[in-house]
Each structure stands twice: as structure tokens, then as C-alpha cells.
Amino acid sequence: MTMTVDLDLCQNHGQCVYAAPEVFAFDEDEILTYQPEPPESQHDKVRAAVAACPVRAIRLVGES
Ligand code: SF4
């Protein structure tokens, strides 16, 4: 699984951080950071984050 987040769309709602805190986080400037290739153990949580994002900013590029 590879993922991208459109930071122009992202409005820092934080639902992705809540859904998958090991993959998504805010840095000290409140900018979203994320692991673009999350480990298999995180895939379900990443899918939950995709579904939870209110602006649909998270895209899965490939599925394993
Ligand atoms: S849930 Fe969506 S809008 Fe909110 S921080 Fe995550 S990517 Fe950005």
C-alpha cells in the first residue's frame, strides 16, 4: 500500500490521526505528516482514516 495526502485539500481535521496515530501525526507547525508506505499491520487503520477524512484528501495508490 502506498498513500498520498493532498495537503492542499487537508484542513487539519485530525480524523486520520485519530484513526491511525502510528501513521499520521501533526508536526510542530501543525502540518500533517504521514508514512507514505505504512506497514501491513496498519493497513486497516489507514483504510479507516481514508473513510474518516471529511475532505477525501487521503488517496491509496496501491493495494497489497
Ligand atoms: S482527516 Fe483529512 S483533512 Fe483531516 S488531517 Fe487527516 S488528511 Fe487532513
Side-chain angles (χ1 to χ4, degrees), residues 33-61:
T33 61
Y34 60 97
Q35 293 181 47
E37 295 185 8
E40 183 111 31
S41 60
Q42 293 294 316
H43 287 186
D44 284 349
K45 289 181 179 177
V46 169
R47 289 189 193 96
V50 171
C53 178
V55 295
R56 297 273 181 252
I58 309 168
R59 277 216 180 100
L60 299 184
V61 177

Side-chain angles (χ1 to χ4, degrees), residues 5-14 16 26 30-32 53 55-58:
V5 178
D6 186 338
L7 293 178
D8 290 331
L9 278 180
C10 173
Q11 294 175 358
N12 287 16
H13 291 291
C16 57
F26 290 116
E30 304 280 301
I31 305 293
L32 185 72
C53 178
V55 295
R56 297 273 181 252
I58 309 168

